Amino acid sequence: MAIPRVPPARVTHSCSARSHALVLGCAVVAMVIHSAGYSGSYGVFCMAVWCLCFAVTTVIFFLDATRLYGCLPVSWGNLTVAFAALATLMYVTASVVYPLYFVSSECPYAGCEVRNFRIAVATCSMAATLAYGAEVVLSRRPGQAAAAGYMATPPGVLKVVQAFVACVIFGGVANGGGLAGRPGLVCCVAVWAGCFGLTSLLVLLAVCGRTGALRCLPWDRLLGAYGLLALLLYLSASVAWPVLCFDSKYGSPWRPASCPRGGCVWDSQLVVSVLSFLNLGLYAADLLYSQRPYVT
């Protein structure tokens, strides 16, 4: 298999952003292990994000430097951009969660050294977020979009964001969505799960370079049909969920006074409602962008 030629500009800029993300990710993991520390479910989540992104970035950097990616049955440009977009979202989440739960203005019992390391971890994590985001932006530079593929286009990036927001929605539902004995809410979750599965499938087809696999349905028409279907499904779920949760006939429009902080079903339902409308807007933007022709 012939190794595809990559424009020099893309190699220079994308590899530079990726190398910065790699160095910053290594620094974050090293500082957390050395002194900053982590604990509880939120700490484990942040550490898992940093370790996973660092490991995958290392593999991508090695394959790109050695040009061994030509042996893989994937669209390399689509794969790297999709991962960079996903890593940006994951790093943003970890960069918010870690300082929120582990950084304070006062020195903890272990001393100010631990606090200073945690501040450095949060700073490097945010810097790595910018590095991953820069990789996505640089893939859209003139003359490089064709090499990067569909995932570098606005609809491609939007699909990664849609899938990520859907995962956060599922986390909110699992944290206390109050589904027991409420089939209407279960239907809303089924809609979100179905859209998440189809969106992930489209991303997988693009990453594997199989956008033309369905000969009876061209890629652009497939995107348009799915975008319209997903928009209608999300619209129904986004309207039904808050009605079934906050209407006085089915739930409570106000937060209960006895609701415990951090473990309240009402809070989780509110978060899910907001994120559902957010994804509804993302699907609407995706549908609009999908009407424009892009190189795949």
Side-chain angles (χ1 to χ4, degrees):
M1 179 182 295
I3 298 176
R5 298 182 61 185
V6 182
R10 177 178 179 270
V11 173
T12 301
H13 296 296
S14 296
C15 285
S16 176
R18 191 176 302 139
S19 62
H20 280 80
L22 185 64
V23 172
L24 290 168
C26 180
V28 168
V29 173
M31 287 189 291
V32 172
I33 295 176
H34 173 65
S35 185
Y38 64 97
S39 61
S41 57
Y42 293 108
V44 171
F45 166 77
C46 294
M47 192 60 176
V49 166
W50 292 326
C51 290
L52 177 63
C53 291
F54 174 70
V56 176
T57 304
T58 301
V59 173
I60 290 178
F61 188 86
F62 173 79
L63 293 176
D64 195 44
T66 58
R67 296 297 187 269
L68 290 177
Y69 62 79
C71 301
L72 301 177
V74 298
S75 172
W76 185 249
N78 283 314
L79 174 63
T80 54
V81 174
F83 171 73
L86 178 61
T88 301
L89 297 169
M90 295 176 69
Y91 256 88
V92 165
T93 306
S95 299
V96 172
V97 170
Y98 189 81
L100 184 63
Y101 287 93
F102 294 95
V103 178
S104 61
S105 57
E106 299 179 356
C107 297
Y109 67 90
C112 291
E113 181 182 358
V114 174
R115 182 200 63 180
N116 295 339
F117 267 102
R118 290 178 176 178
I119 293 175
V121 166
T123 303
C124 290
S125 181
M126 184 56 67
T129 301
L130 299 177
Y132 281 115
E135 182 178 350
V136 177
V137 173
L138 290 172
S139 66
R140 289 300 302 159
R141 291 171 66 90
Q144 300 175 29
Y150 171 76
M151 294 308 301
T153 65
V157 175
L158 282 172
K159 283 180 175 55
V160 176
V161 181
Q162 291 161 5
F164 181 81
V165 173
C167 289
V168 182
I169 289 177
F170 298 146
V173 172
N175 192 43
L179 302 181
R182 307 184 71 176
L185 298 184
V186 174
C187 290
C188 293
V189 176
V191 167
W192 294 327
C195 292
F196 169 76
L198 291 174
T199 300
S200 301
L201 178 60
L202 292 176
V203 172
L204 183 62
L205 289 174
V207 168
C208 294
R210 298 293 186 267
T211 56
L214 299 178
R215 297 183 179 181
C216 59
L217 187 61
W219 179 249
D220 56 344
R221 294 185 181 179
L222 174 63
L223 295 176
Y226 168 67
L228 180 58
L229 175 63
L231 180 63
L232 295 176
L233 289 174
Y234 248 90
L235 178 61
S236 62
S238 299
V239 172
W241 179 273
V243 170
L244 295 174
C245 289
F246 307 120
D247 189 273
S248 57
K249 294 176 60 177
Y250 308 102
S252 173
W254 308 106
R255 190 177 190 274
S258 60
C259 206
R261 182 179 180 182
C264 182
V265 174
W266 194 91
D267 291 342
S268 298
Q269 291 175 341
L270 179 61
V271 170
V272 170
S273 297
V274 173
L275 292 176
S276 181
F277 277 104
L278 172 61
N279 237 5
L280 176 64
L282 293 175
Y283 275 103
D286 188 3
L287 179 61
L288 293 176
Y289 272 115
S290 296
Q291 305 309 309
R292 300 171 55 188
Y294 287 99
V295 178
T296 59

